[in-house]
Amino acid sequence: MDCQEAEEVPSEDPVPRNGIGLTEFSDEILLNILKFVPRYDLILSMRKVCKKFANLCLDKSLISKVLLSRDYQVNDNKVKEMVKETATKIQELNVSGCYWLCPQTIDQISRCKSLVRLDLSDCRLTSLRLSKMLSCLRSLRSLAIDINHGFDSSQLNSESKATLSQVTELKQTLYTPSYGVVPCCTNLERLLLYFEINDYTRDGTMVSCQLMVGQSSVPHYENLNIFYARLAPGYVNQIVMRLYLAVFSVRVPENLRAFVISIPGNFPESGAAAKNILEGMAKNAALEALQLPKTWVDSTSFLQNLKLTAPSYLNFSRCMVLGSHLIHRMLNDGKDFRSLISLNLSGCIHCLSTDSSRNADDDIDWEVPETLVSACPNLQHLNLTAAHHHSHQGSGKHLCAILAKLKNLHSLALPVCSISDEVKNSGSPPAHSVQPSGHSLTFGFKKNIRIGVKTYHPKNSLEQSDQNSPNSSFRGLLEAVPFVYEIELIGSSFSSSMPRNEPAIRKELPPCPQAKQIGDEEVAWLSHLKLLKSLTLAQLPGILNGAGLLQVGMMCKELRVLSLANLGMLKKVTYMPYLIECFKHCKQLKDLRLEQPYISANIQFFQALTHCVALERLCIISRNGTFQPDAVMLFMEHCCNVIMLHMFMGETLVASKNMQQALLQRFKAERPALNVVIYPLLHEGLADVIRDVPLTHLDEITLFKSRVAEEPPKLWW
């Protein structure tokens, strides 16, 4: 059909008939519009509209880079047709997270002979299939793959090894002890390793740490610029990691700019090997990004010897050295930290206090944060969670007021106690405020009155909410950093009830007393962040009715990720009525995670969730929680975009399995990406269930963790 014929087709475009038609725009304008359309829609649908679109939709600027990562609407047929039509034009292809694509579909990628970059993370791929594919991709320079059980590098043919020898960027996720394809990549400049090996097989046998037969023991790191390794919990992961690090203890590459190792817990590395690596980096490396195992940082002297050239990322998460000493050493060695944009001090005990103040209820040594902010004025990502930072009234200063000077902040993670104003509860106690019995948001839930605590109610605007509100350092911080799109407020002693490899936690640790002052009004102040896309709230015991959540839902229209854990009283979800009302305003919400010991996922809850029309992933963690099967089924029927439903609750094993099977039978055919896991949280088989969850879901939503400044910016393309 040509352009004239296309204009005769009825259109929903509000432009009048005598106005300018879409095809009358210049090619440049149309190309800028079309770049927001999924590539498979361009190729399979839009290019058939008219001759002009037929040419534009195949323009090199649109087709050379195809991003399908986490596009849950894509299926095998769409990928095959797209590759068939544009195979010779695609130079970058990212299908990471597309775990549902069948191996035969992945095989079609070998037709894209001009590929320079290819990301196949989470895709099913054997060593034989990989060998066949790489033999056809002679131009490949960047590759991301998974190494699964049964992988054998000896099955790679000479043509595939020739391709790997030219690869300069490799991202490799290990599910079995192996070097993978690292020994074949002789010109690596960027190496990213993700260790996801389980310690035990399904039958309870300990996994051998010995590398598979045919594996070379000499990775090639001579040209390496970036080395990144992230380990899941487990002994085997740590032992295999040692083998990858062995080369560094002999010689550190001269061009190394980033050395980042993220390990949960202690890393059982011998002192000699760690010392050799640190000494090698001090001699040869000029680092821009750094994170070390916490046991390596056993003194502050190591920073004095390292060369930090225009550092952009530093992570001292859970460092064993006293935090204030670490910061003083970092900032007082004459190094320039104006280039630093990401800093993680999560779990650095007393990182903002001194030795003398450790017994003074974690009072802040104001020289530390003031020096930090002054030396790092361009920080964009800052994480201070998992520690106590208290600003007492007598000091005349507040941590939030100091952080407000960081005008470029984009993401911020703070312990709940750090935003408390002691003046809030000084003097006479506030009068009781009881919610009217006829309030439209009660939905029949029992009203709870907390003696001596003021109840907050949502306002229609920010101006109205600010009237009669006391001066708050936290509110001042939020007003001073308008570009923040991600914020986390996490209790200092919070630990998710769903760890990865251990049994579920049955009892929560008590919150910091200072955190009890933070309630609905403080949450409502978050609505000042108009660009807010991701919000995490965990262990806020001062939450009463959840009205602050409604305020956020009404004002933060861009909110896409919401994670709530242990808010208010643990045995009663007192914030549920307002949360239900909040859902009606969250039109852009894609990911929702709720963790609370007692959650009733009833018909009212799931009906409210149907207003979240963009919702894709839902995770509920509740060891004593219940769900209504009919309500779950109705929710899935209405929310067609939902492709992940994880509910780890208190229902029986039989009820959970029946619900999971019913959902898969009903919706799997029409939603190929659908992943449903419903299982009792306290069941002994939980660890085996978790290991089958796709890593993209497990890492991003199911398992709780602080994500601010978790890894260097722009780590992978």
Side-chain angles (χ1 to χ4, degrees), residues 25 33 54 79 86 130 137 157 180 189 228 245 270 409 431 473 490 505 507 568 706:
F25 286 109
I33 295 174
V79 174
T86 61
L130 178 63
L137 306 180
N157 59 31
E189 297 177 4
Y228 173 89
L245 288 178
S270 62
L409 274 181
S473 299
I490 303 175
I505 297 175
K507 188 176 181 179
S706 178

Side-chain angles (χ1 to χ4, degrees), residues 55 60 92 97 151 158 236 296 350 355 402 458 471 473 558:
N55 294 326
K60 183 179 180 180
E92 293 186 20
F151 182 89
S158 57
V236 175
W296 289 19
H350 309 291
D355 268 329
I402 296 176
N471 291 330
S473 299
E558 299 299 318

Side-chain angles (χ1 to χ4, degrees), residues 575-587:
Y575 62 87
M576 186 59 74
Y578 273 117
L579 179 61
I580 285 177
E581 187 70 13
C582 171
F583 289 154
K584 299 179 181 179
H585 303 275
C586 299
K587 304 300 182 182

Side-chain angles (χ1 to χ4, degrees), residues 332-624:
N332 295 334
D333 279 342
K335 297 181 175 67
D336 187 356
F337 286 93
R338 288 175 295 178
S339 59
L340 190 65
I341 63 174
S342 185
L343 176 62
N344 193 328
L345 297 174
S346 173
C348 284
I349 301 176
H350 309 291
C351 69
L352 302 182
S353 59
T354 60
D355 268 329
S356 59
S357 67
R358 282 193 290 172
N359 296 323
D361 198 20
D362 303 290
D363 291 357
I364 293 177
D365 175 13
W366 296 110
E367 182 184 356
V368 178
E370 288 175 344
T371 304
L372 179 65
V373 169
S374 176
C376 312
N378 298 312
L379 273 178
Q380 297 179 11
H381 314 283
L382 177 62
N383 193 328
L384 297 174
T385 57
H388 296 272
H389 307 310
H390 298 167
S391 304
H392 286 291
Q393 182 182 358
S395 66
K397 298 181 179 180
H398 198 283
L399 177 62
C400 291
I402 296 176
L403 296 181
K405 300 176 183 178
L406 298 173
K407 302 299 182 181
N408 297 316
L409 274 181
H410 291 166
S411 63
L412 177 64
L414 294 173
V416 177
C417 60
S418 71
I419 69 173
S420 172
D421 283 301
E422 274 205 335
V423 69
K424 177 180 176 181
N425 286 344
S426 63
S428 59
H432 310 330
S433 177
V434 182
Q435 189 173 354
S437 59
H439 198 283
S440 62
L441 297 178
T442 57
F443 289 96
F445 286 80
K446 181 180 178 181
K447 298 181 289 294
N448 294 277
I449 302 174
R450 297 275 291 278
I451 302 300
V453 182
K454 184 183 295 183
T455 303
Y456 175 81
H457 298 292
K459 308 300 189 296
N460 294 326
S461 66
L462 287 178
E463 290 77 10
Q464 185 179 356
S465 67
D466 288 343
Q467 292 178 359
N468 302 322
S469 294
N471 291 330
S472 165
S473 299
F474 181 54
R475 191 180 70 188
L477 168 63
L478 297 176
E479 292 173 347
V481 289
F483 301 112
V484 168
Y485 57 77
E486 180 178 13
I487 194 163
E488 298 176 348
L489 297 179
I490 303 175
S492 303
S493 59
F494 175 74
S495 181
S496 175
S497 61
M498 186 178 174
R500 180 158 187 178
N501 295 328
E502 301 80 20
I505 297 175
R506 296 172 179 264
K507 188 176 181 179
E508 291 77 15
L509 295 174
C512 174
Q514 290 284 95
K516 296 179 181 179
Q517 300 182 17
I518 307 304
D520 298 296
E521 187 171 14
E522 286 76 11
V523 172
W525 289 337
L526 293 169
S527 59
H528 284 278
L529 302 175
K530 297 298 186 182
L531 302 179
L532 189 65
K533 293 183 179 181
S534 178
L535 173 62
T536 297
L537 302 174
Q539 200 181 39
L540 277 72
I543 296 294
L544 296 181
N545 58 13
L549 296 173
L550 175 55
Q551 190 81 16
V552 171
M554 288 170 21
M555 307 303 295
C556 302
K557 302 297 185 182
E558 299 299 318
L559 190 64
R560 285 167 168 76
V561 178
L562 180 61
S563 177
L564 307 176
N566 291 4
L567 305 186
M569 295 188 298
L570 296 183
K571 292 188 176 181
K572 292 183 180 179
V573 191
T574 57
Y575 62 87
M576 186 59 74
Y578 273 117
L579 179 61
I580 285 177
E581 187 70 13
C582 171
F583 289 154
K584 299 179 181 179
H585 303 275
C586 299
K587 304 300 182 182
Q588 302 297 324
L589 190 66
K590 290 181 177 292
D591 292 349
L592 174 63
R593 186 187 191 276
L594 297 178
E595 179 171 347
Q596 198 88 8
Y598 295 84
I599 290 181
S600 177
N602 53 26
I603 187 67
Q604 293 99 329
F605 172 80
F606 281 110
Q607 280 182 342
L609 269 183
T610 59
H611 292 278
C612 303
V613 293
L615 191 66
E616 294 179 340
R617 301 191 290 189
L618 172 63
C619 179
I620 302 177
I621 311 294
S622 180
R623 64 172 178 265
N624 299 305

Side-chain angles (χ1 to χ4, degrees), residues 101 126 145 148 187 260 263 278 282 368 433 465 492 519 615 678 690:
L101 295 179
T126 64
I145 56 173
N148 292 293
N187 288 295
V260 178
I263 301 177
L278 291 175
V368 178
S433 177
S465 67
S492 303
L615 191 66
I678 303 177
I690 290 178

